[in-house]
Amino acid sequence: MSNAARVLSDQNTSTVPVERVVSFSKIFRDTGFRFVTMSSSDLGDAIDLLYHFDKELDIRSMRVTVPKGSAISSITSVFSCAMLVENEIKEQFGVDFEGLPIDFNGTLYLDEDVQRTPFCKIGVVKNFPKAQEA
Amino acid sequence: MARTTLPFGPQHPVLPEPIHFSLVLEDEIVVQAIPKLGYVHRGLEKMAEIRDHNQMIQIVERTCGICSTLHAMCYCQGIEALMGVQVPDRAKFLRTVWAEMHRIHSHLLWLGLFADAFGFESLFMQCWRIRERIMDLQEATSGNRVIVSVNQVGGVKRDIKPETQKWILDTLKLVEKEVLQLKSTLMDDYTVKKRTVGIGVLSKEKAFALGACGPMLRASGVAQDMRQLGYAAYPFLDFTPVVETDGDSYARTICRFNEIFQGIDLIRQAFAKLPEGELSVKVTGLPSGEVVSRVEQPRGECLYYLKATGKKFLDRLRIRTPTFSNVAPLLELLPGCELADVPVLILTIDPCISCTER
């Protein structure tokens, strides 16, 4: 099996506490990794966030579990390109990312009238303020 | 100077698909661009929770018409890794052939749209006329012009017979000759150069840091191509990423143009080395675990994250398409450019909005 499909395991995925997400991202950046994207899944009472990094075609993941209703720091201060995917996860899963440079407040894909996060099995009612005007 | 906010899109003559940008201008210079997506969002990822993991192949193929077979390949590759399935070699080579057909027709489609964006309609028509030959090949080998539904977990559904291979190679010879005839126009024409040389320069460092991928990254001098990962038949083929160094719109055009010839060469190599054998293996059981699967689509790196727990349905399917990744570099390119260059710069990332919105 080639490296193109990598099954996640302890060898390629590290679990990180919520408060260390930025400092661990810095380690990835400083060791030459690029930010690829983030994945997320609903665990019921928490959201599982996976940050994917790549260096010379070697993909590594960082797992952070965020309890529903709590916030996590944005990694845009380390990888500015994470801005869109963090906004996407915010509106689809209701994870609040603190420090987003452009915060769409749940209107990147969805209409302003939509009040639920569509990818959570147990929907979280949004209570975001009005979207930022350009 | 007072700032003006100008809406660009979702309906615009240069945009084949809807995306909106709020452009903040000072005089005619863009100072900020804020995107708005969601006009064609279909919630395909969510369907993984209510559709059998085999039915999902047909759904992911519809993520994007232009790279349908590559979406299915990426998805199947992930499921195969979770289930420990070894795909027969013949299937790997055939997957490569269809993947490269997609790359050729996608680049021809983009070259045509790009020419049309700066008013070069005859070039647009020439590119799309040549592209029709590839669409004919896809229709003859898969039954469909656009949605090439050939992948399944464990291999491929269709074979390409020797006589069809010969016809494909003859057609590719013709395509190669016709594309070569466009070379001097694309590379030397005053109109093309005036609208592309030095426009939207993305340095190697910025392209890497902003997460650019595909020709957008390679045109800035980074020799990164997911085909180097060694999936399908690529480990058996002679292949080097096409790289340009200037990082401007012209370099991105040349990069895609040269990848057409690379695609033709890879198909020739694949047919020359095509092994005999089965098209697929029987797969039983249900997937379990988490996997990250990647392929190189015409627009760049595509990533699938699959999470399965031994049930018929996946727990989570996440698709990161190359255009989504290339929006961040685009937002870096737009500030400082003239309003007249905005359509060219948006097209220069080869945007696929259906892909991006899934």
Side-chain angles (χ1 to χ4, degrees):
Chain A
M1 196 67 66
S2 76
N3 278 334
R6 177 162 282 186
V7 177
L8 300 193
S9 66
D10 292 343
Q11 278 74 50
N12 54 45
T13 307
S14 44
T15 303
V16 171
V18 173
E19 61 276 10
R20 308 260 337 250
V21 65
V22 175
S23 56
F24 266 76
S25 299
K26 276 183 188 156
I27 294 171
F28 275 106
R29 184 195 61 190
D30 295 343
T31 47
F33 280 83
R34 72 184 168 93
F35 175 77
V36 182
T37 193
M38 289 167 68
S39 305
S40 48
S41 57
D42 187 5
L43 300 178
D45 54 355
I47 302 294
D48 199 24
L49 295 180
L50 278 163
Y51 296 73
H52 305 294
F53 302 97
D54 173 279
K55 183 182 178 183
E56 292 165 4
L57 304 175
D58 181 18
I59 196 157
R60 299 295 170 107
S61 301
M62 176 172 83
R63 186 189 303 278
V64 184
T65 305
V66 190
K68 278 188 183 168
S70 64
I72 183 169
S73 296
S74 163
I75 62 160
T76 46
S77 58
V78 186
F79 293 102
S80 60
C81 52
M83 187 268 289
L84 280 177
V85 69
E86 286 185 342
N87 268 291
E88 182 181 320
I89 289 172
K90 177 173 179 171
E91 74 181 61
Q92 290 179 344
F93 287 86
V95 178
D96 190 14
F97 289 92
E98 291 176 334
L100 275 168
I102 299 177
D103 190 345
F104 291 87
N105 288 316
T107 61
L108 176 63
Y109 287 106
L110 301 175
D111 197 80
E112 283 180 28
D113 298 339
V114 180
Q115 288 298 305
R116 293 177 73 85
T117 49
F119 276 67
C120 283
K121 284 169 193 155
I122 303 166
V124 178
V125 178
K126 289 192 294 185
N127 191 22
F128 299 138
K130 196 173 183 304
Q132 177 181 313
E133 293 294 335
Chain B
M1 180 176 286
R3 290 185 171 185
T4 314
T5 302
L6 189 76
F8 185 95
Q11 300 301 325
H12 189 280
V14 301
L15 292 174
E17 294 177 281
I19 186 169
H20 172 81
F21 288 92
S22 288
L23 300 175
V24 183
L25 304 170
E26 276 183 6
D27 195 6
E28 291 220 358
I29 304 296
V30 178
V31 291
Q32 193 184 13
I34 298 173
K36 169 81 178 92
L37 306 168
Y39 297 97
V40 286
H41 195 279
R42 292 151 291 163
L44 297 183
E45 292 177 351
K46 187 73 177 165
M47 287 187 82
E49 295 170 22
I50 54 167
R51 290 281 182 269
D52 181 305
H53 72 272
N54 282 313
Q55 293 175 325
M56 276 309 293
I57 298 171
Q58 289 187 316
I59 292 168
V60 298
E61 279 166 354
R62 281 148 182 84
T63 307
C64 170
I66 307 304
C67 28
S68 57
T69 202
L70 283 144
H71 276 287
M73 191 200 287
C74 193
Y75 174 84
C76 289
Q77 194 173 266
I79 299 282
E80 285 155 4
L82 285 179
M83 300 178 78
V85 174
Q86 287 295 332
V87 176
D89 283 345
R90 188 173 179 86
K92 288 181 182 175
F93 277 75
L94 291 173
R95 281 180 176 180
T96 305
V97 169
W98 278 301
E100 292 307 319
M101 277 187 204
H102 268 48
R103 197 173 321 279
I104 297 166
H105 94 74
S106 173
H107 285 344
L108 284 167
L109 176 123
W110 177 82
L111 284 167
L113 288 174
F114 193 55
D116 191 44
F118 51 75
F120 207 146
E121 289 198 5
S122 57
L123 184 57
F124 156 72
M125 285 187 275
Q126 290 299 327
C127 291
W128 279 41
R129 183 183 60 79
I130 302 169
R131 176 177 175 260
E132 279 304 305
R133 297 193 190 279
I134 308 294
M135 305 310 279
D136 289 344
L137 298 184
Q138 293 190 165
E139 186 176 10
T141 53
S142 74
N144 276 329
R145 277 165 52 87
V146 178
I147 306 292
V148 176
S149 186
V150 290
N151 287 283
Q152 64 181 20
V153 177
V156 291
K157 290 186 271 190
R158 287 172 180 264
D159 199 1
I160 302 180
K161 302 284 181 210
E163 59 274 18
T164 314
Q165 290 173 30
K166 186 181 176 306
W167 172 63
I168 291 172
L169 291 172
D170 289 344
T171 306
L172 288 177
K173 202 170 177 180
L174 201 58
V175 168
E176 188 176 41
K177 185 181 156 201
E178 290 176 339
V179 175
L180 264 175
Q181 287 170 351
L182 300 179
K183 189 174 181 178
S184 61
T185 308
L186 264 169
M187 294 195 179
D188 306 325
D189 187 88
Y190 173 80
T191 316
V192 177
K193 288 183 121 176
K194 187 77 181 166
R195 296 303 304 273
T196 56
V197 173
I199 305 290
V201 178
L202 192 64
S203 69
K204 186 177 182 178
E205 294 72 25
K206 277 212 163 167
F208 187 81
L210 291 169
C213 64
M216 188 87 180
L217 180 65
R218 292 193 286 277
S220 293
V222 182
Q224 182 179 276
D225 190 314
M226 289 307 120
R227 288 175 286 181
Q228 294 166 303
L229 282 165
Y231 64 90
Y234 293 108
F236 308 104
L237 308 178
D238 183 21
F239 154 73
T240 315
V242 174
V243 177
E244 291 290 321
T245 51
D246 290 345
D248 58 1
S249 299
Y250 184 73
R252 292 189 273 277
T253 309
I254 301 305
C255 191
R256 291 188 180 103
F257 185 75
N258 287 333
E259 283 189 5
I260 294 173
F261 299 107
Q262 183 189 49
I264 293 171
D265 178 52
L266 285 168
I267 294 174
R268 282 180 182 145
Q269 288 188 53
F271 279 144
K273 296 177 180 173
L274 185 65
E276 293 299 325
E278 295 297 311
L279 294 179
S280 64
V281 290
K282 192 174 179 200
V283 179
T284 52
L286 294 165
S288 183
E290 292 174 283
V291 68
V292 172
S293 176
R294 293 188 289 173
V295 297
E296 183 74 19
Q297 290 187 344
R299 296 174 179 83
E301 173 190 25
C302 176
L303 181 147
Y304 271 57
Y305 164 72
L306 310 173
K307 183 178 181 184
T309 48
K311 291 184 288 189
K312 208 163 76 167
F313 309 119
L314 295 178
D315 259 26
R316 175 80 171 118
L317 164 68
R318 156 96 177 126
I319 307 171
R320 200 299 308 266
T321 61
T323 300
F324 188 85
S325 182
N326 282 330
V327 170
L330 175 65
L331 297 180
E332 176 75 17
L333 292 181
L334 289 174
C337 80
E338 289 192 29
L339 180 60
D341 287 330
V342 171
V344 173
L345 283 176
I346 290 176
L347 273 188
T348 205
I349 72 163
D350 192 3
C352 180
I353 309 306
S354 296
C355 252
T356 308
E357 305 202 353
R358 313 174 297 284

